[in-house]
Amino acid sequence: MTPTDAVILALPSKGALADPTINFLQNCGLKVWKPNARQYTGTIPSVPGLDVMFQRVKDIVYKVADGTAALGITGLDVVYEHSDENIIVIKDDLEYGHCRLLVAVPEAWVDVETLLDLKDVALDLREQQHRNLRIATTYTRSARQFLHEQGLHHFNLVKADGAIEAAPTLGYADAVIDLTQTGTTLRENRLKPLNDGVIISSQACLIGNRHALQQNPGLLETLRMVLEYMDASLLGKRYYQLTANIKGESAEAVAQQITVNGVTSGLQGPSIAPVYSKSGGHDWYAATIVISTKSLLPAVEYIRSIGGTQVTVNTMKFAFMECSPTFEKLQETLGVSI
């Protein structure tokens, strides 16, 4: 790949994913630079040859599918609804933009709690009113596939854009299939989700053009750098670096005390260094370990129990492993390597 063969990454230009995507990339060390806020192009200087184009979330899928952009960040729900065989999901868990695509019915349907109950409603409508159950949605492809898989066949999908939750109140649909983050809009429109009606648990994801990734080693190298940053940043958020001063007979003895407890064994094990105290004693050691965020307080309490003092904790911005696990998995999936 020559310097003029820039790799294009498509990002959301508006909507719920737009600002969080910019913030996510910046936290990964992939800050997006564009000279003018109104421009629809930019660059990511930390990765040479990586350009940015801004598109609607749905259009990102189309741009990556037709090769206009080699990579894109959009919602997993949008990928499931609009993608084709040219799209490959490279990383499906960027850990932001969480939402659910689900089936919701009017709260007044007190006896309808599950999809089985909804099938009964559909059959009653056929027998008593000689019509199908009407479901308003923007996600017609995902909705139809899901409902058929669940054995519900007597329905009509009403294509709707915007204010879908109002469809039952306005009378042009009986139920809805829509995207929700907190469920507040559903409740405000007196709708309730079915207990087993979640179609997709979605979040932001990274996608790519399958053919381009298989044929272009230069693109793969650029993507490898992007994934190194992303994986290291996401992994770093799961750990703290803890340091404490511990008294012991030797570095080996201190290390043994720490590693007998699973919480404080660390990613690979503690680092032990002598502390040259003001009193001149040589029986103090500084122990540094990397622990999971959920284990912080148990780790501190255990360190105290074995005589540890002056415990300090630092967040980890990045945790680079031997390689990017996402990139290694992608190479296996594509059957290529660089």
Side-chain angles (χ1 to χ4, degrees):
M1 189 172 75
T2 65
T4 57
D5 295 329
V7 173
I8 296 178
L9 170 66
L11 302 178
S13 59
K14 59 180 68 174
L17 288 181
D19 289 340
T21 296
I22 296 298
N23 294 336
F24 166 76
L25 290 172
Q26 182 166 332
N27 290 335
C28 290
L30 298 167
K31 184 175 182 179
V32 177
W33 181 85
K34 57 178 181 177
N36 188 312
R38 295 183 178 181
Q39 284 187 325
Y40 283 85
T41 59
T43 61
I44 296 182
S46 57
V47 179
L50 182 60
D51 290 348
V52 168
M53 67 184 301
F54 292 92
Q55 298 285 312
R56 295 184 305 172
V57 289
K58 182 170 68 174
D59 292 339
I60 289 172
V61 178
Y62 298 145
K63 294 297 184 183
V64 174
D66 69 17
T68 303
L71 307 170
I73 293 179
T74 186
L76 197 59
D77 57 293
V78 180
V79 176
Y80 284 169
E81 179 68 18
H82 299 287
S83 70
D84 58 26
E85 64 276 4
N86 291 328
I87 294 290
I88 183 170
V89 178
I90 299 167
K91 192 168 183 63
D92 62 3
D93 53 352
L94 297 184
E95 300 184 7
Y96 70 94
H98 293 87
C99 56
R100 295 173 298 155
L101 181 65
L102 52 75
V103 184
V105 300
E107 291 177 349
W109 295 8
V110 292
D111 295 328
V112 181
E113 300 290 341
T114 66
L115 287 165
L116 185 60
D117 297 331
L118 189 63
K119 283 195 279 187
D120 291 339
V121 171
L123 289 173
D124 288 343
L125 288 173
R126 289 277 290 184
E127 293 174 359
Q128 299 174 16
Q129 300 185 27
H130 308 291
R131 70 173 179 85
N132 286 340
L133 177 72
R134 300 166 302 171
I135 303 176
T137 187
T138 302
Y139 294 82
T140 54
R141 176 180 175 183
S142 300
R144 183 174 291 105
Q145 180 178 341
F146 176 78
L147 294 173
H148 283 316
E149 288 174 350
Q150 301 302 315
L152 203 159
H153 304 291
H154 301 303
F155 65 87
N156 291 331
L157 294 179
V158 180
K159 188 74 164 67
D161 290 307
I164 292 174
E165 297 86 353
T169 301
L170 296 176
Y172 67 86
D174 305 299
V176 304
I177 289 179
D178 200 17
L179 208 61
T180 181
Q181 289 182 308
T182 63
T184 300
T185 305
L186 292 177
R187 291 190 294 271
E188 289 175 346
N189 285 275
R190 300 190 176 185
L191 297 173
K192 61 179 180 180
L194 297 182
N195 294 337
D196 54 355
V198 176
I199 299 174
I200 301 168
S201 291
S202 179
Q203 60 181 295
C205 64
L206 175 67
I207 62 174
N209 182 287
R210 182 185 298 270
H211 178 75
L213 289 168
Q214 289 175 324
Q215 301 297 321
N216 191 333
L219 168 58
L220 273 181
E221 174 57 24
T222 298
L223 175 59
R224 185 193 66 79
M225 288 189 281
V226 170
L227 291 176
E228 286 278 13
Y229 281 107
M230 287 185 178
D231 282 352
S233 176
L234 291 171
L235 184 61
K237 291 195 300 183
R238 301 173 192 168
Y239 293 96
Y240 288 118
Q241 186 180 71
L242 183 152
T243 300
N245 291 334
I246 303 176
K247 195 171 185 178
E249 296 178 358
S250 64
E252 290 76 13
V254 171
Q256 187 174 12
Q257 279 188 296
I258 293 173
T259 54
V260 295
N261 183 289
V263 172
T264 54
S265 57
L267 281 177
Q268 189 168 1
S271 298
I272 311 294
V275 174
Y276 298 94
S277 64
K278 295 179 180 178
S279 62
H282 300 291
D283 51 357
W284 282 92
Y285 296 88
T288 300
I289 55 176
V290 175
I291 58 169
S292 66
T293 53
K294 64 181 180 181
S295 301
L296 176 59
L297 188 55
V300 171
E301 291 175 339
Y302 178 72
I303 291 296
R304 286 171 174 166
S305 74
I306 61 174
T309 63
Q310 301 167 339
V311 180
T312 60
V313 179
N314 293 311
T315 58
M316 295 178 59
K317 185 170 178 60
F318 296 102
F320 288 95
M321 306 305 285
E322 293 82 1
C323 60
S324 160
T326 302
F327 186 71
E328 290 294 297
K329 181 179 178 180
L330 176 66
Q331 288 188 107
E332 293 178 8
T333 301
L334 295 174
V336 298
S337 62
I338 60 171

